[in-house]
Amino acid sequence: MTDFQPAKAVTRAYMAAFDAAAPADRLAALQAHTGKDYHWRGLHPFHEQSGAQEVIDAFWAPLLSSFSALQRRETIFFAGLNDTDGQSSVWTCSMGHFKALFDQDWLGIPATRKIAMIRYAEFHRIDGGKIAETALFIDILDVIHQAGLNPLPPQTAASFVHPGPLTNDGQLFDAQDPAEGAKTLKTINDMAANISKANAIIQGKSDAKPLTPREELSQHWHEDMAWYGPAGIGAVFTIERYVEQHQQPFRRQLANRVFNGHVARFAEGNYGGFFGWPNLTVTPTGGYLGLPGSNRPSDMRVVDVYRRDGDKLAENWVFIDILHFLNQQGLDVLGRLAEIKRT
């Protein structure tokens, strides 16, 4: 049985030191808790960075210059063995919001001088008592919405500050029963396998009898499931509305779906999650996100974080690098914001 507490301690020590440091001291804090070959992944336009200095220069310094009094408001924290590499590496996941004052323009997004709630999910691979690898997903499009701008057509689902778990038990600071984590991971994997089966049927690669959306979802989801999707799609509640407001647009308006795998997938207790780089490659045929089709295969980098309740999944927090997805199709949302500002 693997003890995840040391890995959690490394992550908690890093967050405590980094979050408390003055902006000028963030580099030293990051260097103190990361390995010499530190690898960092962030969403468009940050992508991949190597080493603490590059990460500070590319991401943290601009962010901290624009958002003052930044606080981490974490709602979920867990660790586990990576199911994608034969369970040979240990990862942690922290999810919640960065709360801050949006005082200076950022990425061409005009400052509001008001509170901004920046959704984040941060994954760390721990090796030798250091953070060896990080993936930090934030919902930039949601920050654009908070600034009063809507660069895309109306989204199909709701927009609001996403809550933490209904049960308020998402921060797993203490050791958990390994059997519960195994159950959560199996539920996630079985659910994902169902999606793959449905995609195979849709693409004519399987002659199995298709299930209705409700039949498919009800196998692994509670009726009152909550799906907290990224800005551009929104959040949904109940199986019925999930089908209407996310699943069907996704399946009908994105063709040639190819699953590329995950970098990390793990669970602990009732919580689990994964991210890919990219998870999927899909071809927009028209209508997705309210936009015309491009017929260009485009990658989706996705995070899913889940809460299991009993034998089924109850809540799901989702991040998608939509700006990167659109940029591959020739729509540079951030570039467009900068152009509008110049005029």
Side-chain angles (χ1 to χ4, degrees), residues 38-55:
Y38 180 51
H39 183 208
W40 186 92
R41 294 179 176 90
L43 302 192
H44 178 83
F46 308 107
H47 304 288
E48 297 184 73
Q49 307 294 328
S50 298
Q53 184 70 64
E54 284 191 9
V55 174

Side-chain angles (χ1 to χ4, degrees), residues 127-145:
D127 184 24
K130 298 283 187 177
I131 298 172
E133 191 173 350
T134 294
L136 177 55
F137 282 63
I138 59 175
D139 196 335
I140 298 173
L141 187 57
D142 187 53
V143 177
I144 297 173
H145 286 181

Side-chain angles (χ1 to χ4, degrees), residues 47-235:
H47 304 288
E48 297 184 73
Q49 307 294 328
S50 298
Q53 184 70 64
E54 284 191 9
V55 174
I56 293 293
D57 291 345
F59 178 74
W60 284 112
L63 184 80
L64 295 169
S65 295
S66 296
F67 295 90
S68 61
L70 187 141
Q71 296 178 347
R72 182 189 301 266
R73 298 181 66 88
E74 182 184 71
T75 55
I76 291 177
F77 178 74
F78 63 95
L81 287 171
N82 186 3
D83 196 44
T84 71
D85 63 4
Q87 299 195 337
S88 63
S89 60
V90 177
W91 289 73
T92 66
C93 174
S94 170
M95 194 203 79
H97 292 84
F98 294 122
K99 185 181 81 170
L101 295 172
F102 192 2
D103 284 342
Q104 301 291 334
D105 292 1
W106 182 61
L107 303 176
I109 308 168
T112 64
R113 299 191 70 253
K114 298 176 182 178
I115 293 174
M117 298 293 285
I118 307 171
R119 296 182 64 223
Y120 82 88
E122 189 172 33
F123 293 78
H124 297 300
R125 179 171 63 85
I126 309 302
D127 184 24
K130 298 283 187 177
I131 298 172
E133 191 173 350
T134 294
L136 177 55
F137 282 63
I138 59 175
D139 196 335
I140 298 173
L141 187 57
D142 187 53
V143 177
I144 297 173
H145 286 181
Q146 292 178 53
L149 301 174
N150 292 286
L152 301 181
Q155 59 187 39
T156 53
S159 177
F160 54 90
V161 176
H162 293 177
L166 175 65
T167 46
N168 294 313
D169 62 356
Q171 293 174 299
L172 306 187
F173 299 141
D174 298 327
Q176 305 294 307
D177 181 353
E180 293 300 311
K183 186 174 182 179
T184 299
L185 185 61
K186 183 179 186 304
T187 304
I188 292 170
N189 286 342
D190 289 349
M191 177 272 301
N194 256 17
I195 295 176
S196 295
K197 291 176 184 177
N199 287 339
I201 294 171
I202 292 170
Q203 296 172 12
K205 298 177 181 179
S206 170
D207 57 3
K209 179 183 177 181
L211 300 175
T212 67
R214 173 172 290 281
E215 288 172 339
E216 177 190 336
L217 289 161
S218 64
Q219 291 182 22
H220 300 105
W221 293 93
H222 286 283
E223 176 63 33
D224 60 349
M225 65 174 287
W227 188 88
Y228 303 111
I233 301 173

Side-chain angles (χ1 to χ4, degrees), residues 296-315:
R296 298 183 188 177
S298 301
D299 293 336
M300 279 190 168
R301 302 164 174 166
V302 184
V303 158
D304 279 86
V305 175
Y306 300 91
R307 179 177 70 85
R308 176 181 57 82
D309 182 0
D311 295 328
K312 295 184 178 181
L313 301 172
E315 295 184 274

